[in-house]
């Protein structure tokens, strides 16, 4: 299958290949990922112009997820998603599960202004009371002496 998929040339730039197999939306985003150190070829940090060959392992950290790809074919032009899948083997770990947490502080439309109790409950849910500096609530806490 590699002979059908690969190009005649022996290597392609890693930023072009990542863009062509649709791992990133733009080539400039692929270049920025390389510059930031989010791309590795065979466990070595890669610059944007680094060469990718068939059989190389490309690791990409993109949008908070690690992708591990084995190059099965070389591309220079962007192709459709069904075709792009044939140019790599995805050995990525499964994505982490999303936390099933209800959004804090969502109020019904037309419920009016929250009461002080509601506001404190929302702050508690958001974590505002977890040791973060809070504005002083009494005059003597602002630096004035209590008389």
């Amino acid at each position: 299958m590699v002979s059908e998929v690969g190009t005649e040339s022996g290597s392609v730039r890693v930023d072009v290949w990542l863009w062509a197999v649709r791992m990133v939306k733009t080539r400039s985003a692929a270049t920025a990922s390389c510059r930031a150190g989010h791309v590795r070829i065979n466990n070595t940090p890669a610059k944007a112009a680094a060469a990718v060959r068939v059989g190389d392992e490309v690791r990409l950290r993109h949008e908070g997820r690690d992708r591990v790809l084995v190059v099965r074919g070389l591309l220079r032009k962007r192709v459709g998603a069904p075709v792009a899948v044939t140019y790599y083997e995805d050995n990525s770990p499964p994505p982490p599960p999303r936390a099933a947490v209800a959004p804090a502080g969502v109020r019904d439309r037309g419920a009016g202004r929250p009461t002080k109790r509601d506001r404190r409950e929302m702050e508690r849910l958001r974590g505002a009371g977890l040791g973060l500096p809070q504005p002083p609530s009494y005059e003597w806490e602002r630096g004035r002496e209590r008389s």
Side-chain angles (χ1 to χ4, degrees), residues 49-115:
V52 173
R53 292 172 184 78
V54 174
D56 284 349
E57 181 185 75
V58 178
R59 291 179 176 267
L60 170 69
R61 175 105 177 129
H62 185 64
E63 295 178 352
R65 185 168 175 215
D66 290 326
R67 305 295 301 259
V68 180
L69 310 169
V70 177
V71 180
R72 292 289 170 224
L74 301 176
L75 279 174
R76 292 184 195 284
K77 300 286 184 183
R78 194 166 170 105
V79 294
V83 177
V85 174
T86 62
Y87 286 83
Y88 64 88
E89 180 183 327
D90 194 354
N91 294 333
S92 304
R98 291 186 178 178
V101 178
V106 176
R107 294 179 52 80
D108 294 331
R109 186 175 174 92
R113 184 176 175 183
T115 63

Side-chain angles (χ1 to χ4, degrees), residues 5-21 27 34 39 41 46-56 58 71-78 87:
V5 205
T7 62
E8 283 69 23
S9 176
S11 65
V12 176
R13 287 174 56 121
V14 68
D15 61 339
V16 173
W17 188 81
L18 287 170
W19 166 76
V21 295
R27 185 166 164 209
C34 291
V39 178
I41 299 174
K47 292 185 178 180
V52 173
R53 292 172 184 78
V54 174
D56 284 349
V58 178
V71 180
R72 292 289 170 224
L74 301 176
L75 279 174
R76 292 184 195 284
K77 300 286 184 183
R78 194 166 170 105
Y87 286 83

Side-chain angles (χ1 to χ4, degrees), residues 115-133:
T115 63
K116 193 174 208 176
R117 182 179 181 186
D118 293 339
R119 181 185 55 82
R120 287 182 176 158
E121 183 68 19
M122 284 188 290
E123 285 177 358
R124 187 185 63 76
L125 289 173
R126 288 185 188 141
L130 299 175
L132 301 175

